[in-house]
Structure formats: C-alpha cells, structure tokens
Amino acid sequence: MIKKIFQKLLYYLIKGTLVVVPLAGAVFLIIWIVASLDNTLNITQHFLEDEEGHPLYIPGIGILTVIILLIIVGVIFTNLVTDPIRHWLNRTIKRIPLFNTLYSSIKDFTEAFVGDAKKFNEPVLVEVNETGMKKIGFLTQRDLSKLGLKDEVVVYFPYSYSFAGQVVIVKNERVRKLDMNATDAMKLVVSGGVSGI
C-alpha cells in the first residue's frame, strides 16, 4: 500500500515537473533578458538621484527608451532618408574594414528574421549521405552561379538547443521542400526533434 502511494506521488511529481520546469524556465529566461536589457539601457540612473544621492532606477525606462528610439529611427529612415543618402551610407560603411563585416553580418541576420525578405521561411529536408540520413534545414540561397555552382543551393541547418547553426552548400537534387511551416520546422530542430509536429 505504501509502495503504491509512493509510486503515485513520484508519478505526480514527474508530471508536475514536466509542466512547471519548461514554463518556469521560459518565464525566467524572458524576465532575465528583459531585466538585463532594461538595466543596461536605463538612462534615468545617469541623471536622476534619490534623496540620499544614489542613482535612481526606474524599471521599464530602458526598454521603453529603446522602443521609442527604434520607432523614431524607423519613421526617419522610412519618410525622410532618400535613396541617395542610403546608398551613400552603405558605401561609407563598406569602406570601414572590420565594422563593415560585423555590420553586414548582423544586418543580414536581422533581416532574415524581421525584414521584408525573410530568409528562414522555406524549410527543407536534405539527404546528407548515401545511407539515407536526412537533416532539416532552411533554404537561404537558390542561385549560386556567381560562385560557379550551377545546380547547388545554400541550406542553413540550425543546431538543437542553440541559436547557432551551420551553412552548407548541397546539390539541388538532394533538397526536398517540407510540407510544414517555418515556425514548426524551427521548433522541431531547435527542440532536438521533440516539438513542432
């Protein structure tokens, strides 16, 4: 009888853990990221002080400042900055060796997720070798003629439980479009294959 009660309690403990741990982990991670950003970007502590002369920290001001700044920059670049100014800015950035590499990489990566030409929106299944092993990835470039690779494409393979990934050039015939949306495909890969289906 006691053994059955213990087994039941252990069963409920495991079920409770499966519900609480992912939920608590996701909430904790989001709170930690937002709090870290807010603390780093909070400008009030640089010019406001309390009665005792300590820097005054107002929660949320850092994130709010960034959101307002991004909106203002978006409005300016959409409505006031003309194409000649944009081209001049791009040419100027390309002349700065190290900054150009970093800027271009971050810009392309950001645009791949939130820009007009999203890149990670075509999930594919790639046959990796003759044994039939396959990997899920995202088709990011179809035309590699500039590299002299006529029938090949670029596929990005994200790593499980990571934001990193691997860029691979494969034969076009080894790539097959997956019948699933990009969000589910990304969840399937990043979760190690346990979610997204």
Side-chain angles (χ1 to χ4, degrees):
M1 184 69 179
I2 294 175
K3 188 179 177 183
K4 277 193 172 184
I5 293 171
F6 180 74
Q7 285 175 339
K8 207 69 169 163
L9 287 173
L10 185 61
Y11 173 77
Y12 288 136
L13 175 67
I14 291 167
K15 286 291 183 184
T17 303
L18 290 173
V19 171
V20 172
V21 169
L23 189 64
V27 169
F28 173 78
L29 196 59
I30 290 168
I31 290 171
W32 178 78
I33 290 169
V34 170
S36 299
L37 279 172
D38 187 53
N39 191 34
T40 304
L41 303 169
N42 200 319
I43 56 171
T44 57
Q45 56 193 345
H46 298 296
F47 58 86
L48 290 179
E49 294 179 347
D50 60 13
E51 299 83 27
E52 298 171 3
H54 297 107
L56 187 63
Y57 170 73
I58 302 173
I61 293 293
I63 297 290
L64 187 63
T65 304
V66 170
I67 291 169
I68 292 169
L69 183 68
L70 290 174
I71 290 171
I72 291 169
V73 170
V75 168
I76 290 169
F77 266 79
T78 303
N79 300 313
L80 301 176
V81 177
T82 60
D83 283 339
I85 295 172
R86 282 195 189 102
H87 293 312
W88 173 82
L89 189 61
N90 283 332
R91 281 196 311 273
T92 305
I93 288 171
K94 284 180 181 175
R95 289 187 187 133
I96 307 169
L98 180 61
F99 186 78
N100 173 38
T101 306
L102 292 171
Y103 171 80
S104 300
S105 300
I106 294 168
K107 182 175 180 278
D108 290 345
F109 188 74
T110 306
E111 285 181 348
F113 286 102
V114 296
D116 293 330
K118 294 182 181 72
K119 293 289 184 183
F120 301 120
N121 62 351
E122 194 169 347
V124 293
L125 193 64
V126 179
E127 192 172 328
V128 179
N129 57 30
E130 288 71 28
T131 64
M133 187 173 90
K134 298 172 183 70
K135 288 178 82 170
I136 295 173
F138 294 87
L139 190 63
T140 56
Q141 291 288 337
R142 289 182 178 279
D143 185 14
L144 296 180
S145 53
K146 287 183 180 177
L147 300 175
L149 304 169
K150 188 181 173 189
D151 297 323
E152 299 187 75
V153 293
V154 175
V155 178
Y156 174 75
F157 294 113
Y159 292 140
S160 298
Y161 301 101
S162 172
F163 291 106
Q166 181 183 32
V167 174
V168 179
I169 296 173
V170 295
K171 288 276 187 198
N172 201 12
E173 68 220 25
R174 289 186 173 262
V175 178
R176 184 166 40 115
K177 191 170 174 15
L178 273 177
D179 188 22
M180 67 189 309
N181 67 47
T183 305
D184 288 342
M186 187 65 88
K187 276 198 293 188
L188 181 65
V189 175
V190 172
S191 70
V194 297
S195 71
I197 296 179

